[in-house]
Amino acid sequence: GPLNICEVLRDRLPNCKLINIGSSEEYGLTALQGVALHEEDACLPQNPYALSKFAAGQLLMQMSQRY
């Protein structure tokens, strides 16, 4: 998954850039309010796909700040 990809890139291609594509599904219940979403809005994933996208984004954010 995302952690393995990050570790391989960090070790073998340290100057490589990784782009993570998110999904509006990550916002879950927040998206049901019928207004435009912003990155600052609360993420409330409601299904396994949404949760996995949210978790990947959080993991990659932590990795980018640490390395």
Side-chain angles (χ1 to χ4, degrees), residues 43-66:
C43 286
L44 302 168
Q46 297 297 301
N47 59 60
Y49 169 76
L51 185 57
S52 68
K53 293 295 281 185
F54 177 72
Q58 294 298 303
L59 171 73
L60 295 171
M61 187 181 344
Q62 291 297 317
M63 295 288 286
S64 72
Q65 292 172 359
R66 185 170 181 172

Side-chain angles (χ1 to χ4, degrees), residues 18-43:
L18 176 65
I19 298 173
N20 180 54
I21 306 298
S23 169
S24 62
E25 285 285 320
E26 296 174 57
Y27 292 92
L29 296 175
T30 302
L32 297 177
Q33 296 175 5
V35 296
L37 294 171
H38 303 282
E39 289 182 358
E40 301 83 23
D41 292 338
C43 286

